[in-house]
Amino acid sequence: MDKNQLKEELVQLIYVNRKKITGAVIGLIIGILFLTVGFFKTLLLCLTTLFGYYFGSRWRFEEDLKDFILRIIPERFK
């Protein structure tokens, strides 16, 4: 078996199983966080990450920051 052929097969194997590998890596990272910083700090980190992801996915980059801030500030403070 040639070195290049082995490399191509490995890349193809990773590509086919990329979701499984990604899940395993995320699980490994969360497990390491549990062991090093504790359950509640890890839970807080995961929740803030999900919160940031949610707002980041809803953010439209064309929107002006000033308009965004004015929209979230209540009327009585404007």
Side-chain angles (χ1 to χ4, degrees):
M1 183 175 268
D2 185 345
K3 187 176 181 180
N4 288 331
Q5 185 181 6
L6 181 63
K7 181 180 174 183
E8 288 177 23
E9 287 184 21
L10 182 62
V11 168
Q12 184 179 7
L13 180 69
I14 291 172
Y15 181 75
V16 169
N17 296 307
R18 66 187 180 277
K19 291 182 182 180
K20 293 176 186 177
I21 293 171
T22 303
V25 169
I26 290 171
L28 176 67
I29 291 170
I30 291 174
I32 290 171
L33 284 171
F34 277 157
L35 293 173
T36 57
V37 298
F39 175 75
F40 290 107
K41 289 181 182 178
T42 301
L43 184 62
L44 179 64
L45 179 66
C46 290
L47 288 175
T48 55
T49 301
L50 290 173
F51 184 74
Y53 176 79
Y54 172 74
F55 280 106
S57 66
R58 305 250 323 149
W59 184 274
R60 291 185 313 224
F61 290 105
E62 300 86 30
E63 185 177 23
D64 188 25
L65 182 60
K66 181 180 175 184
D67 292 337
F68 175 72
I69 292 172
L70 288 175
R71 205 173 73 229
I72 63 171
I73 295 176
E75 279 297 319
R76 63 180 185 209
F77 295 117
K78 290 182 184 177

